[in-house]
Amino acid sequence: MNETVEQSLRVALADLAASRPTNADARLCARDYLPRRRRRPGWPLAGAAATLLATGAATAAVLLSSTAPEAFAGWTAVPAAATPSALRTATALCNAMNPPSGRLTGKPVLTEARGKFVAEIYVNRSTGWDHVCISDGVWGDSSTSVGSGQAALMIRAAPGLDQLGMPDEGSGFADGFPGAAAKYKGQQPSWSSQLTAAQRAAMASSAQHWAGLAGRNVRSVTFDFDQGVTVNATVQNGWYFAWWPGPALPNTIQVTTSNGTSINSPVPGTAAFNNTCPNRTLSSRSKCGAFVTGERPSAIRRQQAWRRAHPHRTASRPRQG
Amino acid sequence: MRDASFDDFVGAHVRDLMNTAYLLSCDESEAEDLVQECLLRVARRWRRVQAMDLPSAYARRILVNLVIDGRRAQTRRRQELRRSGPTSPEADLAELDMVDVRSESAVDAIPERAMLLDALRRLSSRQRAVIVLRYFHDLSEAETARLLGCGVGTVKASGARGLERLRDIVAPQRALSPGGSSQLQPGRTE
């Protein structure tokens, strides 16, 4: 009797597996899995960086014109490597502002320095949250910013080899609020709720940061602003990241891949981008300029489940933290 | 540069891994995420995995562990959520995971398949793993035990309990389902 049942089960399982839609197989084959190796820039790259640094002052001047210039003095459009001690200080300052759930632990996936400012991205694999920390390294009266979201890892579709994932955008600095780090220490979950509307508006316009996943062949990402101003992103360990002072948003984004191909892409959130990607449905994974849009299957599944469980709150479902 | 040998490995085994993940998770979307995570982990150790006798068995082991660990983590999150209440973003995520999600697909269009899928969902993750490895992959009890990292006795017990549970679930449903095929129908020997 048991043999009959077992044989029936074999047939039924094979039938069930055969009836599975196979769209996912092609998607999985096209993805980028192999880890990146860190590369030190050679002399030619270092020379190029020096040239770009020379133009950095002009870039900063344009971007800083709309905000408090003294707060971001020394900021550079071209990132450099951060020193270990500067990173340790930045981590400590950001942790002082973060609620416990957002503590920066382990090793950052991306680090950079722009003048005296150090930025880091930490990823908590168990929760799927990424945490961005930017700090000028001064305790008390610090230009320290923390941001977090889970869109890049948990919601957005993973980028292809030559693509960028849609960014987790953030804005705001604690700059201009003396003692912000100490004042809000230990307050949670959202210390920013303690601020007045005017303070929040001032913070939101003080600086912008963009972080997202980058395909393995992506070598450089450049943000183009008005008047020929450019800001270079850091591309490390499958992430891209840049921040700049002021409320300005880039006009275009240039992505250069390892085979030298350069794509000039519209910027997500702008009309130009929305015209390129008119049908951004939940399940689409269309290419939009250099970006892959759409969402991870698991995110779609969670959303559908959430909508079924909370029909009266469907419109207010938070997309990211 | 892509590693051609890894690409070949993915091309050759993605279907098998997806089938396994689908039967283990009973959900297409979750299966895709599981296989993606599995392939990422294999990629990280590709040089060592490549040198193994059976890289596919290693990948399958990772996949099965991901499913079992995922269920444990989900249970932990549920317990934490019940204790703390849904106040944080992490709790919100856990809240979503608590919802019983069933994707509607062509599979569900055939009652017998939907019935089996539903029955598999009701097994524990270890029972389901044993059932899939034993009866879909045709692994022996010893091979299944090695892959799951447990004893042969555990495999025997989990398999027997899983089979019994499947029969208990499917038989009453079959009785209520007129004109169904004979899949998993117990006790009808020729």
Side-chain angles (χ1 to χ4, degrees):
Chain A
M1 185 176 86
N2 267 347
E3 280 178 14
T4 308
V5 173
E6 289 172 5
Q7 191 50 38
S8 299
L9 185 56
R10 282 191 178 92
V11 173
L13 289 173
D15 173 63
L16 194 57
S19 67
R20 171 184 67 80
T22 52
N23 313 352
D25 300 13
R27 282 199 296 272
L28 285 162
C29 286
R31 274 175 206 158
D32 178 19
Y33 298 100
L34 288 168
R36 293 157 186 77
R37 291 181 179 82
R38 289 180 187 227
R39 297 182 181 191
R40 287 164 188 253
W43 283 112
L45 276 178
T51 310
L52 285 166
L53 274 172
T55 60
T59 303
V62 172
L63 289 169
L64 291 171
S65 61
S66 55
T67 186
E70 68 278 7
F72 298 109
W75 173 89
T76 60
V78 179
T83 63
S85 64
L87 288 170
R88 276 196 296 275
T89 305
T91 306
L93 286 173
C94 286
N95 270 336
M97 297 182 69
N98 265 340
S101 63
R103 278 193 72 81
L104 311 174
T105 54
K107 285 175 71 176
V109 294
L110 182 147
T111 61
E112 62 155 45
R114 294 177 190 268
K116 65 183 177 184
F117 297 94
V118 166
E120 321 169 87
I121 299 179
Y122 282 81
V123 171
N124 185 332
R125 296 274 171 201
S126 62
T127 63
W129 282 71
D130 54 271
H131 301 276
V132 174
C133 165
I134 308 172
S135 178
D136 66 354
V138 181
W139 176 257
D141 188 14
S142 66
S143 290
T144 295
S145 167
V146 288
S148 58
Q150 57 178 180
L153 287 175
M154 299 291 285
I155 296 172
R156 314 259 194 246
L161 287 174
D162 301 334
Q163 289 182 305
L164 299 182
M166 293 285 278
D168 282 353
E169 302 157 47
S171 61
F173 255 74
D175 178 71
F177 305 101
K183 182 176 176 183
Y184 297 111
K185 185 179 181 183
Q187 293 190 9
Q188 49 196 286
S190 173
W191 58 266
S192 64
S193 65
Q194 312 288 327
L195 302 175
T196 66
Q199 284 173 322
R200 275 202 295 275
M203 283 176 65
S205 63
S206 62
Q208 316 295 321
H209 71 252
W210 281 39
L213 298 177
R216 193 158 61 91
N217 289 348
V218 172
R219 285 290 170 267
S220 70
V221 179
T222 306
F223 294 77
D224 299 322
F225 294 82
D226 287 338
Q227 300 176 42
V229 167
T230 59
V231 173
N232 291 22
T234 296
V235 180
Q236 264 174 29
N237 299 320
W239 286 78
Y240 68 98
F241 174 79
W243 73 272
W244 54 89
L249 290 177
N251 300 319
T252 57
I253 295 173
Q254 283 211 37
V255 177
T256 306
T257 58
S258 53
N259 64 6
T261 310
S262 193
I263 304 164
N264 206 7
S265 177
V267 179
T270 62
F273 186 84
N274 293 337
N275 290 338
T276 319
C277 311
N279 299 313
R280 286 188 295 148
T281 60
L282 276 182
S283 57
S284 79
R285 283 167 176 263
S286 59
K287 285 186 179 181
C288 298
F291 291 89
V292 61
T293 61
E295 307 198 351
R296 287 176 190 266
S298 55
I300 296 169
R301 185 172 54 83
R302 278 196 295 268
Q303 270 203 340
Q304 289 168 343
W306 193 88
R307 283 189 181 130
R308 281 200 292 272
H310 303 91
H312 58 293
R313 286 168 60 193
T314 298
S316 60
R317 167 77 180 108
R319 304 290 308 135
Q320 65 185 76
Chain B
M1 293 286 288
R2 292 188 81 138
D3 186 323
S5 61
F6 183 74
D7 285 352
D8 290 345
F9 172 81
V10 173
H13 297 289
V14 73
R15 185 179 165 76
D16 181 62
L17 290 170
M18 265 302 288
N19 284 340
T20 308
Y22 178 62
L23 294 175
L24 290 174
S25 66
C26 305
D27 183 272
E28 293 160 32
S29 305
E30 196 176 338
E32 186 176 346
D33 278 4
L34 285 166
V35 173
Q36 177 170 301
E37 182 58 33
C38 166
L39 289 173
L40 279 167
R41 292 189 184 192
V42 172
R44 271 183 232 143
R45 304 172 184 89
W46 179 236
R47 283 191 182 173
R48 269 187 290 161
V49 176
Q50 204 175 6
M52 292 176 181
D53 289 339
L54 275 174
S56 58
Y58 177 77
R60 193 181 289 160
R61 180 174 187 162
I62 288 180
L63 189 62
V64 172
N65 286 335
L66 277 172
V67 175
I68 293 174
D69 293 348
R71 299 285 160 185
R72 281 186 196 139
Q74 197 172 331
T75 308
R76 268 200 307 276
R77 279 203 300 274
R78 286 180 190 192
Q79 289 165 348
E80 284 166 13
L81 185 62
R82 283 193 192 112
R83 278 199 296 270
S84 63
T87 52
S88 65
E90 285 83 355
D92 191 34
L93 184 70
E95 182 191 1
L96 297 183
D97 286 340
M98 283 177 71
V99 180
D100 180 24
V101 181
R102 298 177 186 196
S103 59
E104 290 163 9
S105 68
V107 173
D108 297 322
I110 310 291
E112 288 291 325
R113 287 175 188 159
M115 199 186 292
L116 176 59
L117 208 55
D118 185 54
L120 283 172
R121 278 187 187 113
R122 296 198 214 175
L123 300 186
S124 73
S125 49
R126 188 179 286 277
Q127 286 170 352
R128 200 181 314 134
V130 170
I131 294 288
V132 169
L133 293 172
R134 291 277 289 117
Y135 302 113
F136 180 68
H137 287 294
D138 274 331
L139 298 189
S140 68
E141 285 168 343
E143 286 168 328
T144 305
R146 226 177 1 256
L147 197 146
L148 290 174
C150 62
V152 174
T154 310
V155 168
K156 281 182 180 170
S158 298
R161 275 197 291 271
L163 267 181
E164 193 179 350
R165 189 127 191 247
L166 278 179
R167 274 195 300 238
D168 290 347
I169 296 166
V170 171
Q173 291 188 32
R174 285 247 336 118
L176 295 171
S177 165
S181 74
S182 62
Q183 287 183 4
L184 264 189
Q185 187 169 5
R188 291 199 186 277
T189 47
E190 305 301 324

